[in-house]
């Protein structure tokens, strides 16, 4: 597959990209030292701005309800910009995060902004105005990514470097369910009789939700994209994974403009960008509903908070630790069918792929 690079938009490394929902098809990118650039679909730079703070721009999202609003995070602040007239902030949401913000997400109505930060907290701000409506504290490490569920504006998903994925209802301050990716990996290794092998821990880097609202994807440091299906009552009723990259998977985004909602774009530290058709994946399909479900296995495991971001590829660790900490209570609503053979189901590989030439290009639908 041929690919081309868009140049001259930044003088520092690009950290995030966001795409608008409107017919203009604008894109916004953010980079180190406070640079924000707006592009058209042909890759032409329309406007550039350097934020006065000079802090790295870590996330950029367009409002789905108001095409003239672009939200960018830098440090603990969210700036609201007008991408059609990029001359300065329309509004500054100071202290939107408790620590440096890693990810922003807007619900479909543009009435709520989710902010994930280094403190392990997800804040939900009401818009306009930015009042903190909810503070969600269950992650034990940096929260790297957050996303609202389409068609369900009061549900959101978070993922962090504590290797946990959580589904939240904004009516509550505890998760509906939690999936511990480390436990999933350990159980799989034990099942395959590979205990003791070296592996990269599944630090969760990016989470995305398909437009149907029921299928989730999470890119992790183990090179896999972990898939989850939400069933009735918002329960986690099926999960699996695809081996997407030879090194850490840093990005996973469902694409809403293709014929069905299960096209997934991924990027990894191996420098590859790939496009996957998940429509026949066992996690996505709703066949075999009568299959017995496994007992709940998803428990919280306390971890020490990282002092710095763990964005680089983690060093290999032993798949089995000599001792395990006492496991805490099982989160409610987490009875799961772990679909066997998920990776084999996609043995034909991605539909498209190309080398980016560098690790982990961030991109967002």
């Amino acid at each position: 597959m041929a690919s081309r690079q868009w140049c001259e938009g930044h003088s520092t490394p690009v950290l995030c990209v966001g795409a608008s929902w409107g017919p203009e098809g604008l894109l916004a990118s953010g980079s180190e030292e406070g640079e924000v650039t707006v592009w058209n679909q042909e890759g032409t730079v329309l406007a550039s701005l350097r934020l006065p703070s000079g802090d790295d721009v870590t996330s950029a999202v367009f409002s789905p309800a108001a095409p003239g609003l672009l939200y960018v995070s830098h440090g603990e602040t969210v700036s609201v910009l007008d991408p059609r007239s990029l001359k300065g902030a329309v509004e500054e949401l100071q202290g939107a995060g408790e620590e440096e913000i890693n990810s922003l997400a807007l619900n479909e109505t543009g009435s709520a902004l989710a902010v994930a930060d280094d403190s392990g907290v997800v804040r939900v701000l009401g818009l306009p105005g930015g009042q903190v409506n909810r503070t969600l504290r269950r992650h034990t490490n940096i929260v790297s990514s957050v996303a609202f569920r389409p068609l369900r504006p009061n549900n959101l998903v978070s993922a962090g470097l504590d290797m946990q994925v959580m589904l939240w209802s904004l009516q509550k301050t505890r998760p509906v369910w939690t999936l511990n990716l480390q436990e999933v990996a350990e159980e799989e290794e034990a099942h395959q009789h590979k205990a003791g092998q070296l592996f990269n821990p599944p630090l969760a880097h990016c989470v995305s939700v398909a437009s149907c609202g029921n299928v989730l994807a999470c890119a992790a440091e183990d090179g896999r994209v972990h898939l989850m299906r939400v069933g009735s009552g918002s329960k986690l009723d099926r999960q699996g994974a695809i081996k997407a990259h030879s090194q850490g998977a840093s990005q996973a985004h469902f694409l809403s403009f293709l014929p069905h909602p299960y096209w997934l774009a991924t990027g990894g530290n191996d420098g590859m960008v790939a496009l996957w058709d998940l429509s026949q994946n066992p996690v996505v399909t709703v066949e075999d509903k009568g299959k017995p479900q496994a007992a709940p296995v998803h428990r919280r495991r306390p971890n020490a908070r990282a002092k710095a971001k763990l964005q680089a590829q983690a060093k290999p660790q032993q798949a089995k630790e000599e001792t395990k900490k006492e496991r805490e209570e099982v989160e409610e609503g987490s009875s799961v069918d772990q679909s066997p053979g998920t990776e084999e189901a996609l043995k034909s590989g991605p539909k498209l792929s190309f080398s980016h030439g560098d690790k982990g290009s961030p991109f967002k639908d």
Side-chain angles (χ1 to χ4, degrees):
M1 174 184 175
S3 62
R4 58 192 182 93
Q5 295 183 339
W6 293 1
C7 303
E8 302 178 359
H10 291 276
S11 61
T12 57
V14 177
L15 303 177
C16 61
V17 177
S20 71
W21 297 60
E24 302 92 344
L26 300 179
L27 288 91
S29 53
S31 70
E32 294 180 359
E33 300 180 10
E35 291 185 355
V36 179
T37 299
V38 175
W39 315 70
N40 64 17
Q41 293 187 35
E42 286 70 44
T44 301
V45 174
L46 301 180
S48 293
L49 172 69
R50 185 181 292 272
L51 298 171
S53 70
D55 292 329
D56 296 348
V57 179
T58 54
S59 185
V61 293
F62 287 86
S63 171
L69 294 179
L70 168 66
Y71 295 79
V72 299
S73 60
H74 50 103
E76 301 169 7
T77 300
V78 175
S79 293
V80 187
L81 308 174
D82 183 348
R84 301 164 299 186
S85 179
L86 203 63
K87 297 179 180 179
V90 176
E91 184 179 5
E92 294 276 3
L93 305 180
Q94 299 283 350
E98 294 188 2
E99 295 183 13
E100 184 177 7
I101 298 168
N102 300 305
S103 177
L104 301 175
L106 285 158
N107 66 359
E108 288 181 309
T109 62
S111 61
L113 174 69
V115 178
D117 69 23
D118 276 4
S119 72
V121 166
V122 176
R123 280 180 169 178
V124 181
L125 311 182
L127 299 176
Q131 179 181 357
V132 179
N133 291 337
R134 185 70 72 184
T135 300
L136 308 174
R137 302 179 186 273
R138 279 302 176 100
H139 284 281
T140 58
N141 208 317
I142 291 167
V143 184
S144 51
S145 184
V146 66
F148 279 95
R149 288 181 69 192
L151 309 177
R152 296 160 183 83
N154 290 319
N155 279 194
L156 62 84
V157 184
S158 62
L161 300 191
D162 56 0
M163 296 173 279
Q164 298 189 103
V165 180
M166 301 182 185
L167 176 69
W168 303 83
S169 169
L170 298 186
Q171 281 74 40
K172 299 180 180 181
T173 56
R174 63 176 295 170
V176 178
W177 51 256
T178 298
L179 178 65
N180 189 313
L181 301 183
Q182 184 178 31
E183 291 180 356
V184 169
E186 289 176 349
E187 289 166 5
E188 181 177 309
E189 294 293 327
H191 178 72
Q192 296 177 357
H193 307 290
K194 295 181 180 179
Q197 284 195 349
L198 298 178
F199 77 109
N200 288 333
L203 309 175
H205 292 308
C206 181
V207 67
S208 180
V209 188
S211 60
C212 66
N214 294 327
V215 178
L216 285 57
C218 179
E221 189 62 33
D222 59 2
R224 300 195 297 176
V225 173
H226 297 263
L227 304 175
M228 292 142 271
R229 183 175 185 88
V230 182
S232 61
S234 294
K235 292 183 178 181
L236 174 60
D237 66 2
R238 189 171 292 194
Q239 68 91 11
I242 60 172
K243 181 63 176 177
H245 295 274
S246 60
Q247 297 182 35
S250 58
Q251 298 290 320
H253 298 277
F254 284 104
L255 306 179
S256 59
F257 53 84
L258 294 176
H260 62 70
Y262 307 120
W263 288 95
L264 183 75
T266 66
N269 293 342
D270 55 3
M272 298 300 295
V273 176
L275 178 65
W276 307 82
D277 181 356
L278 302 182
S279 59
Q280 299 305 311
N281 186 278
V283 175
V284 172
T285 60
V286 293
E287 299 175 353
D288 301 326
K289 287 186 177 180
K291 187 175 181 178
Q293 293 185 333
V297 296
H298 307 294
R299 297 166 286 271
R300 289 186 60 218
R301 180 193 302 271
N303 290 310
R305 181 176 300 168
K307 297 296 183 181
K309 285 187 180 179
L310 303 177
Q311 298 298 340
Q313 179 178 347
K315 295 181 180 180
Q317 298 180 358
Q318 293 293 330
K320 290 287 184 181
E321 299 175 349
E322 292 182 358
T323 61
K324 291 186 177 180
K325 296 180 181 179
E326 180 180 356
R327 299 187 177 187
E328 298 185 4
E329 64 178 353
V330 178
E331 297 289 357
E332 62 185 63
S334 58
S335 182
V336 181
D337 171 15
Q338 182 167 345
S339 301
T342 303
E343 294 189 13
E344 288 77 2
L346 290 178
K347 59 187 178 182
S348 58
K351 297 299 181 181
L352 296 172
S353 65
F354 64 91
S355 175
H356 181 266
D358 203 347
K359 70 177 184 179
S361 164
F363 52 88
K364 295 184 179 179
D365 172 37

